[in-house]
Amino acid sequence: MIIMSTRYVLPTTSKLIFAPIGDIHHNAPGFDRDRFVDSIQWLSDTSKRLDRKVIVPLMGDELELLSGSERRSYRASGLHGSTRAWMEQRMMEDLLKLYADLIPIKHLIPHVIAGNHNFTFQESSVKTSKKYIGKSVSQVIAEMIGVPCLGICGVHVLELTQSERSTASFPFKIFMHHGFGVASSKAASIRQLIALKEKFPMCNLYIMGHNHVKIGTTTEGIDFRKNTRSGAWEMCDVVQGFVRSASFLKGYVEGEYVDDDTGSYVEQKCLVPAGLGIVTANLRWKQKRDSDGHLRYTGFQLHTQE
């Protein structure tokens, strides 16, 4: 597991918005392009506000590629080199179209999480992808944007500070996993997401994708911390956030069937309709006024929004 850390300035007058995007399936027949473009524009516009900061983790499955079982079949298929080259050329074309749409928010993306739909380039005869031989599509996306690819799961620690001159920083720990399993109902998805806390109990925010179910919720608890001014131990709130990024792949489309006459896998299995769009987690400094009237910042306020 890769752990990355970033020193991040969050002024006391600003709100930090985490807006993970995953399961875009940018080249799929059911891709909701209008919603995706609108979401990119909203993120770009919001990031330009003086009282807003925006972070957009990419959570995997940006393109409609091969699943794990399909990748194994592909390697064993014995396809001609020209056929493999044609497939990789098409993947590269789709990848460049995705990148073009992401350019307005490129500077807001800190890392890429790999999805279960992926592919590794291997054909030297394709000029556009030749330099990426041995790299997965997730790694290529990260390289194009200029950020690390963390694999299917990873941790990002934000060392939050209130100004460029401040020497004090406060860690905000984010655990991310593309997702796993077949939980398709909202109740099952929430249980799966909150269960991450049993394995990684001390994170502030947990983010998953994969099953196209929108979730934004928090759990609250109490901790005990020492007041550095008075030396007394005090109770303090502990809020942990849980976000399951939505999708931009429509499972049911009125007036048509998706993919072919057998329908999409959502239709075949009669799954819950996909949750489309963006889910956010929103962070501010928590304020508290001492008995002597001085304003202190005592941790974070965190809430989620579907």
Side-chain angles (χ1 to χ4, degrees), residues 38-277:
D38 287 347
S39 297
I40 295 296
Q41 187 63 54
W42 177 78
L43 290 168
S44 177
D45 292 345
T46 302
S47 70
K48 296 171 184 175
R49 290 180 50 175
L50 296 178
D51 60 345
R52 294 290 185 270
K53 300 279 190 176
V54 180
I55 291 178
V56 184
L58 286 188
M59 295 300 299
D61 287 3
E62 288 82 15
L63 294 177
E64 181 78 0
L65 298 171
L66 306 183
S67 66
S69 60
E70 289 170 338
R71 291 194 296 274
R72 288 191 293 271
S73 298
Y74 175 81
R75 288 191 290 269
S77 64
L79 294 175
H80 291 295
S82 58
T83 304
R84 295 196 304 270
W86 170 78
M87 291 180 66
E88 293 198 14
Q89 177 66 42
R90 181 59 186 269
M91 289 182 192
M92 199 64 204
E93 292 171 0
D94 290 343
L95 186 52
L96 291 172
K97 291 177 183 177
L98 166 69
Y99 176 71
D101 280 348
L102 290 175
I103 286 176
I105 62 165
K106 175 182 173 181
H107 60 293
L108 306 177
I109 300 171
H111 44 67
V112 174
I113 293 291
N116 64 302
H117 290 273
N118 220 326
F119 184 82
T120 300
F121 290 103
Q122 51 193 298
E123 291 299 316
S124 60
S125 60
V126 182
K127 293 181 180 180
T128 54
S129 63
K130 184 177 180 178
K131 63 180 178 179
Y132 298 125
I133 288 178
K135 295 181 179 179
S136 70
V137 168
S138 297
Q139 290 173 314
V140 175
I141 293 172
E143 191 170 315
M144 286 180 167
I145 296 172
V147 298
C149 177
L150 302 185
I152 202 161
C153 66
V155 173
H156 189 186
V157 180
L158 292 179
E159 299 174 4
L160 292 175
T161 183
Q162 295 172 1
S163 70
E164 292 284 359
R165 295 175 296 174
S166 176
T167 57
S169 65
F170 301 85
F172 187 86
K173 294 168 284 187
I174 308 163
F175 176 82
M176 295 159 292
H177 195 293
H178 169 69
F180 49 88
V182 293
S184 62
S185 70
K186 192 144 192 171
S189 298
I190 291 174
R191 287 195 298 271
Q192 188 184 64
L193 185 56
I194 293 180
L196 291 175
K197 192 166 68 167
E198 298 175 4
K199 305 177 184 73
F200 307 96
M202 301 309 294
C203 293
N204 303 97
L205 179 62
Y206 302 82
I207 304 176
M208 287 180 71
H210 180 60
N211 68 352
H212 305 190
V213 178
K214 295 169 67 173
I215 293 173
T217 190
T218 59
T219 61
E220 290 76 32
I222 294 175
D223 195 6
F224 308 94
R225 295 176 186 170
K226 194 173 186 178
N227 186 316
T228 56
R229 290 176 179 267
S230 66
W233 284 87
E234 302 172 341
M235 289 196 307
C236 61
D237 299 331
V238 176
V239 180
Q240 292 171 292
F242 301 85
V243 167
R244 197 140 200 173
S245 60
S247 171
F248 291 92
L249 179 64
K250 295 179 284 189
Y252 301 91
V253 181
E254 185 176 359
E256 62 181 91
Y257 49 74
V258 180
D259 291 342
D260 56 35
D261 57 3
T262 63
S264 69
Y265 72 92
V266 177
E267 292 175 312
Q268 289 175 13
K269 297 182 180 181
C270 201
L271 298 177
V272 174
L276 302 175

